[in-house]
Structure formats: structure tokens, C-alpha cells
Amino acid sequence: MDTHTPTHTDPGGPDLRHHGDAEVRDDGSALVDLAVNVRADTPPAWLREHVAASLGSLAAYPDGRAARAAVAARHGLPVERVLLTAGAAEAFVLLARALKVRRPVVVHPQFTEPEAALRDAGHTVGRVLLRAADGFRLDPAAVPEDADLVVVGNPTNPTSVLHPADALASLARPGRTLVVDEAFMDAVPDEREALAGRTDVPGLVVLRSLTKTWGLAGLRIGYVLAAPETITELERAQPLWPVSTPALAAAEACVAPRALAEAAHAAHRIAADRDRLVAGLAEFADAGVRAAGPAEGPFVLVRVPDGAAVRHRLRGLGYAVRRGDTFPGLGEEWLRLAVRDRATTEAFLRALRRALTTPPPA
């Protein structure tokens, strides 16, 4: 386990507050976006119309009961096991503030917000760093026995690794909270290896986001699934009316049968588009390009020699990709690529070829 635990403001450590949207702000707004893991061409028209219809209720305070019940029904759980949040990011803050833990551990490389939230709440955070040589796969034995809070993503952002559900469940211990971030699980065909809905794993907390698959990052909606006593603790840490009426409307719609069928279809399409991207990246093996894998999420982590320079060249060619060096355990040679449609991928691969072969300035 990593013994150096810098804060997100420590110049000796990665910037835990850097996220993919920084690549497409300001001068990056005109770039083709392969940096943000939000499904392209979303939200669909029917969802926009549904959210818009809720605007007539804005004079009333939000009432989350129907949305909470809908999420509970979607996972076959009682409502006491569900908490709606302003995106999964809020859930990490609630966990950091509400739970009384002594030795939290975050499995990296992964989404950095859980560690940032824990540090902001005054916790000293340990890290389990997964290695590229092992395919960024988790050995449960690497997690310290005395860790009383363990955070792991599945599928993991940015590695796109899908850990076996049994391996994650084996991390459960008496007195330990096991947080599994399933923000991208609905992009996995059949949601295999999901733990959402499980009640037999002690201390399990599952986080879900509705912003990625449905293109609702600007609306902020997600939820927590956990034991009723944990939900109660987290709810106490929330402000009143934390989720807006439009976000509640979106939550209810996105767990309805129609939406689940659409998401399932999209997951298979994403898998096919990802396979095309990975196959295209393999054509650059002679240049030292290596995709981590097998990738199972809607993004691919790729190792590129001189990655920082290649990323800048790609920007000049009209493409934004996510830098990898802000994730603990990765360096500048790593880039994360969002999966897009075949035409976008083909055009990107042509740009990547140019970026790899462009000589550095004299």
C-alpha cells in the first residue's frame, strides 16, 4: 500500500480535483470530446421532454418519495435502503462526513473524488495501488485487514476493469464499510458483476449515477444503496431538499422499464464501439501504444509513449482526451479515451496516427 498520502493541494501528489470536463472548457469547447465519460447524443428527446414537464412544479419543495420508490423497485429493495443524491459525487462527501471511520482505504487508480472528499473531511487515507502489469486487477489480499472503509470502482474509472462481484464481496468484514462505485455499471451488458440489490454482503454501500448513460451531468442525480442504518446516517448529513424536482423526475424516468431497455441496448452498442476502438489502437502497437484491458466500461485506458506531448498534439488536431497523471498510480504516459460511435473513432484513429508521427518542434 502506498505510504505517501498527499492532499489534493500537495504539489508532490496528483491533482485529485482534476476531472475530464477540464479538457473541454474554454479553448477546448470546440474539440471532439473523448475526455468526458458521458454517453454521446444524450439525453434523448423523451427524457428532455419529461424533465421539462416537471418545471411547472418548481414552486413546490421537491418531494422525492416517488423517485425513491422507483429506484427501490428497480433494484428489488425496500425504500429504506435507498438515498437519492445530487450525483454520485455528493454521496462521497456524505460518506466522508457521516461515517465514523479510522482507517479508510481507496483502491487506485480510480475516480479521485472519494479520496478528495475523505481528505477534506479530515481523514488520513491509505491507498492500494493496482499495477498495470497485473492488468489493474484487484487482489483482495492487498487490502489491509484493519481498513474499516474500502472504496473501489466497478467497472473502474479510468482503467475500465470489471472486477468479479465475488472478489469484491470477499472484502466485506465485520465493522467495515465496503463502498463500490457502480457509476458505469449500466454501460456493462447485463450489468454482470453488479452488487446493486445485494443484501447479503455486510457493510455494503453501492453508488449509482444516472448522469453518465443519460447525459445528465448538468442536472446532478445519483443514489446510494445500503443498509437502512447507513442510509439514515447519510441522510442526516444531507441538507434539506438536496435533489431538485427536475432531477427527481429524471430519476423516476431513468429507472422505468422503457429506460432500462434503452440502456441495455446502448450497453451492447457501446461494447461493439469499444471493440472497434481497441482494435484500432492495436494497430499502433509498433509505436508502443498499449490499451489496458480487457476494457469493460464506456472508456479505454491507453499507454502512449510521450503521452503528454501526444495529448497536446491531439488537441491541435481537434480532439480532447483525458490525461492520466492526475490518477494515483498512473503517469503522463496514460490517456483515457471515451468510447464513441464508429465514425468518430475512425476519425480519431487517423488523428492519433498523425499525433504519434509528428516530430517534436526543433
Side-chain angles (χ1 to χ4, degrees):
M1 188 172 71
D2 183 13
T3 58
H4 176 52
T5 53
T7 67
H8 63 263
T9 58
D10 178 358
D15 178 6
L16 301 181
R17 294 295 193 193
H18 181 92
H19 299 296
D21 60 323
E23 311 285 352
V24 289
R25 290 185 193 143
D26 302 326
D27 64 339
S29 61
L31 301 177
V32 177
D33 180 8
L34 276 70
V36 177
N37 290 327
V38 171
R39 194 177 113 208
D41 301 321
T42 52
W46 66 263
L47 181 54
R48 291 197 304 271
E49 292 165 4
H50 184 82
V51 171
S54 74
L55 299 181
S57 303
L58 290 184
Y61 284 97
D63 182 348
R65 289 176 296 177
R68 188 179 185 186
V71 170
R74 181 255 194 272
H75 292 288
L77 296 171
V79 293
E80 294 80 11
R81 284 182 166 267
V82 176
L83 182 67
L84 302 175
T85 59
E90 188 207 4
F92 291 123
V93 173
L94 296 177
L95 289 163
R97 293 178 179 176
L99 300 187
K100 307 298 188 289
V101 296
R102 297 172 295 98
R103 193 177 185 198
V105 168
V106 178
V107 178
H108 285 291
Q110 79 147 359
F111 183 51
T112 53
E113 202 59 30
E115 180 172 326
L118 285 163
R119 293 187 183 283
D120 285 346
H123 297 285
T124 298
V125 184
R127 294 174 179 167
V128 173
L129 297 179
L130 307 185
R131 303 188 315 143
D134 300 326
F136 295 110
R137 299 205 164 272
L138 174 65
D139 176 5
V143 176
E145 277 296 321
D146 63 347
D148 56 358
L149 174 68
V150 178
V151 184
V152 60
N154 203 39
T156 303
N157 170 21
T159 64
S160 207
V161 167
L162 185 66
H163 301 292
D166 289 346
L168 296 183
S170 75
L171 293 173
R173 301 281 189 281
R176 172 185 287 177
T177 300
L178 172 61
V179 179
V180 181
D181 177 6
E182 292 188 351
F184 294 99
M185 186 61 78
D186 57 357
V188 176
D190 303 318
E191 295 196 3
R192 66 188 192 282
E193 312 303 344
L195 290 174
R198 293 273 295 268
T199 59
D200 61 323
V201 182
L204 176 65
V205 176
V206 174
L207 307 185
R208 286 285 181 112
S209 170
L210 296 174
T211 64
K212 312 297 192 298
T213 288
W214 296 108
L216 298 173
L219 197 59
R220 312 308 306 141
I221 180 64
Y223 54 88
V224 181
L225 307 175
E229 57 270 24
T230 301
I231 294 297
T232 298
E233 287 185 72
L234 300 179
E235 195 167 18
R236 286 197 190 108
Q238 269 188 319
L240 291 173
W241 311 292
V243 180
S244 70
T245 295
L248 292 171
E252 194 172 354
C254 290
V255 296
R258 169 186 177 173
L260 296 180
E262 183 174 324
H265 177 75
H268 286 280
R269 186 176 70 248
I270 288 167
D273 289 337
R274 184 186 60 240
D275 289 346
R276 175 67 196 104
L277 173 60
V278 171
L281 292 169
E283 297 176 7
F284 301 109
D286 289 348
V289 175
R290 296 288 185 275
E296 300 283 359
F299 45 86
V300 176
L301 182 66
V302 59
R303 196 172 205 161
V304 180
D306 203 12
V310 169
R311 181 172 66 87
H312 286 296
R313 291 175 200 149
L314 285 169
R315 290 184 72 84
L317 294 167
Y319 291 86
V321 300
R322 173 65 159 90
R323 59 190 289 189
D325 61 324
T326 64
F327 293 100
L330 300 181
E332 288 188 342
E333 72 275 18
W334 292 99
L335 305 174
R336 191 193 69 196
L337 312 175
V339 172
R340 298 293 187 239
D341 63 88
R342 184 183 182 94
T344 302
T345 294
E346 296 288 354
F348 167 73
L349 291 170
R350 290 192 293 270
L352 178 60
R353 182 174 297 280
R354 291 180 60 189
L356 290 170
T357 56
T358 300

